[in-house]
Amino acid sequence: MLEIGLLVYPGAQTAAVHGLTDLFAIANRMAGEQHSEQLPRLRVSHWSAPAPALPPERTYDSLPDAASRLGAIVIPPCMEDMPGGAEAVELAAWIKRSHQQGAIVGSICLGAFLLAITGLLDGRQATTHWTHGEELASQFPKLKVNVDKPIIDDGDIITTGGLMAWAEIGLRLVDRLLGPSIATRTARYLMVEHSDSARECGSNFAPILAHGDAAVLKVQHWLQGNGAVDVSLAAMADCAGLEARTFLRRFRAATGLKPTEYCQHVKVGKAREMLEFTNGTIDHIAWTVGYQDTGAFRTVFKKITNLSPSEYRGKFGAKA
């Protein structure tokens, strides 16, 4: 059982909270129709801070299960002002703790402001509603705000810009937790659009985070934050506080990938976003994500997506 926590606070958009609750219920039904013991089941819980300085508490939409774990948190948009003061600090601390324990964190629209308080977005790209991009950048200068992107999927953190983007982030999480076929069937049932690039070229990189190895998880968060650029095995082992051979063994056991393979997926994921949403040259994109050898970049990109960078842009790039 995987638990998805939806944050509920005064002024939160109820359409997002209830819409996501329904979306995950439909995804559960689609997964159940597969009669597969390999697919987990999703449980949705609503979280709130009942009073300042108190830890968030949850209300379940179904009976709690001791086997459930918090696999993701979604911060809905606000219809009024975002939480402030002690309440915001307490909620941000809980979000950060949950992320450190392996939960994927997603924000919708102005939910990025609360996510930014956690510090998890420092040094990363993030998006929010286009009318508040300058305000977000001003309040949190360590962020790289890009409101031209409707969604920025950074593996362990996902931010979206639209007020009604709850369906897209919900489908991304279904894709991540239950697989692309369940996400596609859920989207078809709801008659909403789902990302063609994720469906046809495999999902954007979905790292395994809920493995319970804190040392490896620390390295994963570090790699997602810096884009896996200019990192070495020695630096990763040092970040984990482990001897290199021990780190290699534990990293592969936890993530299913060698550190070099993991870094390739992180870099290609960022390159895919740039190919979809920018007009930068392929050489520039290769350099930006950490490849000085464009030929090596093209080889790795095609290995992961089954398309060359130019083919990928031609198929999924934003049309002028």
Side-chain angles (χ1 to χ4, degrees):
M1 186 72 71
L2 284 172
E3 184 175 341
I4 299 178
L6 307 180
L7 195 59
V8 182
Y9 55 86
Q13 184 193 39
T14 55
V17 174
H18 296 303
L20 283 168
T21 302
D22 291 342
L23 184 150
F24 294 131
I26 292 168
N28 256 342
R29 190 171 75 199
M30 297 298 175
E33 291 174 357
Q34 301 304 304
H35 304 291
S36 171
E37 296 182 358
Q38 303 302 316
L39 284 175
R41 293 295 179 269
L42 303 180
R43 179 188 308 284
V44 178
S45 53
H46 296 169
W47 293 73
S48 61
L54 292 177
E57 62 182 21
R58 63 186 139 185
T59 57
Y60 278 96
D61 293 313
S62 55
L63 293 176
D65 187 320
S68 66
R69 66 179 187 273
L70 200 58
I73 295 170
V74 180
I75 307 169
C78 60
M79 301 302 292
E80 301 172 9
D81 293 330
M82 290 297 298
E87 181 182 12
V89 171
E90 189 63 46
L91 289 172
W94 170 73
I95 292 167
K96 187 172 183 178
R97 285 196 304 271
S98 300
H99 176 261
Q100 290 171 340
Q101 293 167 2
I104 303 164
V105 180
S107 69
I108 305 169
C109 195
L110 300 188
F113 281 81
L114 181 56
L115 179 54
I117 295 174
T118 67
L120 295 173
L121 291 175
D122 290 357
R124 299 202 190 195
Q125 280 201 62
T127 189
T128 188
H129 196 276
W130 63 273
T131 60
H132 287 70
E134 291 185 4
E135 181 184 355
L136 183 64
S138 175
Q139 287 190 28
F140 303 96
K142 294 182 179 179
L143 274 63
K144 302 172 184 176
V145 180
N146 188 346
V147 295
D148 292 330
K149 292 185 178 181
I151 183 167
I152 296 178
D153 186 341
D154 210 12
D156 57 334
I157 297 176
I158 306 171
T159 57
T160 59
L163 188 66
M164 300 300 291
W166 56 264
E168 177 58 27
I169 201 169
L171 291 169
R172 288 283 177 119
L173 289 173
V174 171
D175 191 307
R176 192 77 56 88
L177 301 173
L178 298 180
S181 64
I182 300 300
T184 299
R185 293 184 64 191
T186 302
R188 186 181 301 123
Y189 183 88
L190 291 170
M191 298 181 69
V192 296
E193 187 176 345
H194 186 37
S195 170
D196 285 336
S197 62
R199 182 166 66 245
E200 296 184 28
C201 290
S203 301
N204 290 329
F205 180 44
I208 298 172
L209 300 171
H211 46 66
D213 190 325
V216 171
L217 186 60
K218 181 181 178 183
V219 176
Q220 290 178 269
H221 287 156
W222 178 58
L223 293 174
Q224 296 292 154
N226 63 23
V229 175
D230 294 329
V231 297
S232 64
L233 175 60
M236 288 186 275
D238 183 64
C239 178
L242 299 171
E243 188 270 336
R245 291 180 63 183
T246 302
F247 168 72
L248 276 171
R249 174 177 54 80
R250 285 175 55 176
F251 190 93
R252 189 166 188 177
T255 68
L257 294 169
K258 298 176 183 177
T260 51
E261 295 171 330
Y262 192 97
C263 290
Q264 288 174 348
H265 278 278
V266 171
K267 292 176 181 179
V268 167
K270 292 186 179 297
R272 285 171 65 165
E273 283 194 354
M274 295 182 72
L275 289 165
E276 289 183 29
F277 299 113
T278 77
N279 293 318
T281 66
I282 292 172
D283 285 356
H284 175 73
I285 290 172
W287 180 83
T288 300
V289 301
Y291 283 92
Q292 294 182 346
D293 183 342
T294 306
F297 166 71
R298 293 174 188 272
T299 299
V300 171
F301 190 94
K302 187 159 188 175
K303 178 182 176 183
I304 290 176
T305 68
N306 291 319
L307 294 173
S308 70
S310 57
E311 289 171 337
Y312 187 92
R313 168 172 276 166
K315 194 168 187 178
F316 303 115
K319 304 298 187 292

